[in-house]
Amino acid sequence: MPKLAGGFLAASFLVVTGARGQLNYATPYDFLTIAGVYGSAGSTDGTNSGALFYNPYGVAVDANSNVYVVDNYEDTVRKMTPVGTNWVVTTIAGTPADVSGNPGGFNDGTNGSIDFDLPTGIAVDAGGNLYVTDSNNNTLRKLTRTGTNWVSSTIAGNFYYPCGVAVDAKTNIYVADTWNQVICRVSPAGANWVTTTIAGTLGDADFQDGTNGTALFNYPASLAVDGSGNVFVADSGNFAIRKMTPVGTNWVVTTIAGDGTPGATDGTNEVAEFDSPVQQYAMGIAVDAYDNLYVADGNNAVIRKVSPVGTNWVTTTLAGALGAYNAADGAGTNAVFGAPAGIAVNAAGRLFVSDFGDNNMRAGALAPAPALALSLITSSKVAGVMVAWPTSGGFTMQTNTDLRNGTWGNYSGPVNTTNAVSSLSVLPTAGNVFFRLVN
């Protein structure tokens, strides 16, 4: 595939089929560290790098783009408030353990009088209430804002190391009861909460699609709920993404990405591969308003996107350097993660990722495109497209026949380089296509 100097092109209309590599950075995202310090563990509140985390895990974002983070090893819940271009981090619930990992406790109360023990997942409802899986206490906790305070209550228990949590528009809470290998629903009933198992078989870790108890999971890690009430499961031990569809009173589970084999391949449906660290369940998942899924692929140290295309699901990679396990900001492969664990997406499509390997928080958005000049040239033998760009750097040509599906492939057709620095003549076959350049 040609490596090009310059920028990014989304223009021209000619049919060309692109080739797909192992990892397809079709739409690279630009990631920035917004809080925390790489290599420094702690519980300090503050602004941007003035705040410290110790293995941040679950992430949720509310309608005002406030970000809530479960600081797993510190047994706390932190709030990140956007103030201009800065992020102010405060502890809203829990008492920090010290960095040697003192054990947590169990206590409902207000703000710092609340005790957790290795909390993992977090979700926020339309009213701004928070729901936290208190993993080592085997419970589901609710945090309700009262004035400037946060008050906790325990609304469900009898789980076995629950990790993932999500909430739908009717305030039904879905819990990945991870070590029990099942998915539960916790529903409000007056002043009470009723817990039912809706998929999986208690204690049976396996990989099987089906309805209700015939579906089997292997350490389900994280959950997300779309606007239609479908529940998506990051099934960490099966290295797969599962979809739970409500059908009457039943739940039908299907696998939409992954085949149970760990790896890092992009592709359609079961061709895609993911990798989750053993016993860490670092495989966060989020869903946007268009039913695109975003996955924190922890052991691969990359961020993935799983998009619906007709009846299929196409997995691509947005950012991260495969297996680099370090820390760097940037776009696409220039963004380097230690071990991304939790992920959330706001209404504008901005991603928020907790990197528990780097002890920091990252924010990502579609990488900006530099301006380009495009002109169409013709000759007596063949029509061509002349692309020109104002900046230097290495880029790859990609094509897409339909912008609605968001699926780009690397261009493998003939190329004539007229100026190695700033322009390129593309010689495509007849038809319609969109071209662009990505780094």
Side-chain angles (χ1 to χ4, degrees):
M1 72 195 73
K3 286 290 184 182
L4 312 175
F8 179 105
L9 171 66
S12 189
F13 311 89
L14 307 160
V15 170
V16 180
T17 301
R20 173 175 292 157
Q22 180 111 358
L23 282 183
N24 177 14
Y25 293 82
T27 52
Y29 271 49
D30 193 358
F31 275 87
L32 173 71
T33 301
I34 58 175
V37 177
Y38 169 59
S40 296
S43 59
T44 304
D45 287 337
T47 301
N48 304 336
S49 60
L52 297 179
F53 298 89
Y54 192 14
N55 282 17
Y57 233 96
V59 184
V61 58
D62 68 17
N64 297 316
S65 286
N66 297 299
V67 177
Y68 300 91
V69 184
V70 171
D71 205 352
N72 180 256
Y73 274 22
E74 289 294 348
D75 298 319
T76 57
V77 176
R78 319 285 290 277
K79 180 181 181 181
M80 299 175 53
T81 305
V83 180
T85 59
N86 296 314
W87 290 86
V88 178
V89 179
T90 55
T91 301
I92 62 172
T95 300
D98 65 29
V99 293
S100 64
N102 282 346
F106 179 69
N107 187 62
D108 283 326
T110 302
N111 304 334
S113 69
I114 302 166
D115 286 328
F116 301 99
D117 194 355
L118 295 179
T120 302
I122 190 167
V124 58
D125 68 18
N129 300 297
L130 303 176
Y131 302 89
V132 179
T133 48
D134 192 2
S135 299
N136 218 32
N137 282 321
N138 301 313
T139 56
L140 176 65
R141 317 282 291 275
K142 180 181 180 180
L143 296 175
T144 304
R145 186 166 184 169
T146 304
T148 58
N149 297 314
W150 290 84
V151 178
S152 75
S153 56
T154 301
I155 62 175
N158 204 31
F159 300 110
Y160 190 11
Y161 211 87
C163 289
V165 61
V167 58
D168 68 16
K170 297 179 181 178
T171 320
N172 295 298
I173 315 302
Y174 299 89
V175 176
D177 193 357
T178 304
W179 283 18
N180 272 330
Q181 316 296 346
V182 296
I183 309 300
C184 297
R185 182 179 61 198
V186 182
S187 300
N192 298 313
W193 294 83
V194 178
T195 302
T196 54
T197 300
I198 59 174
T201 297
L202 191 68
D204 193 350
D206 211 325
F207 190 15
Q208 179 173 293
D209 289 339
T211 301
N212 304 335
T214 65
L216 299 177
F217 301 93
N218 189 2
Y219 295 96
S222 301
L223 304 178
V225 183
D226 69 15
S228 300
N230 300 297
V231 179
F232 297 92
V233 183
D235 193 1
S236 68
N238 285 321
F239 316 105
I241 307 300
R242 321 284 292 276
K243 180 181 181 181
M244 297 175 51
T245 305
V247 180
T249 59
N250 297 313
W251 290 85
V252 178
V253 178
T254 55
T255 301
I256 61 174
D259 66 353
T261 303
T265 302
D266 283 333
T268 301
N269 303 335
E270 72 279 358
V271 171
E273 293 175 330
F274 305 86
D275 198 358
S276 176
V278 176
Q279 298 300 310
Q280 287 288 349
Y281 322 117
M283 197 173 175
I285 190 169
V287 60
D288 68 17
Y290 304 97
D291 294 335
N292 298 295
L293 304 176
Y294 302 90
V295 180
D297 193 355
N299 217 35
N300 283 324
V302 295
I303 307 302
R304 317 287 288 279
K305 182 178 182 180
V306 185
S307 299
V309 180
T311 58
N312 296 313
W313 293 82
V314 177
T315 299
T316 55
T317 300
L318 302 182
L322 186 63
Y325 310 121
N326 210 310
D329 292 337
T333 55
N334 292 321
V336 182
F337 300 88
I343 191 166
V345 58
N346 70 6
R350 193 178 192 192
L351 301 179
F352 299 93
V353 175
S354 61
D355 192 337
F356 84 84
D358 288 343
N359 292 318
N360 60 24
M361 294 295 302
R362 320 285 283 277
L366 187 65
L372 286 157
L374 171 68
S375 61
L376 179 66
I377 60 173
T378 61
S379 71
S380 60
K381 295 182 179 180
V382 65
V385 175
M386 180 66 73
V387 182
W389 48 89
T391 57
S392 62
F395 290 82
T396 300
M397 178 76 80
Q398 293 186 330
T399 62
N400 187 354
T401 58
D402 187 349
L403 292 182
R404 293 172 297 179
N405 62 28
T407 303
W408 294 82
N410 291 328
Y411 174 66
S412 58
V415 169
N416 285 347
T417 302
T418 58
N419 182 329
V421 175
S422 62
S423 64
L424 182 90
S425 177
V426 180
L427 306 176
T429 58
N432 299 316
V433 77
F434 294 94
F435 287 90
R436 72 178 185 184
L437 307 179
V438 298
N439 62 0

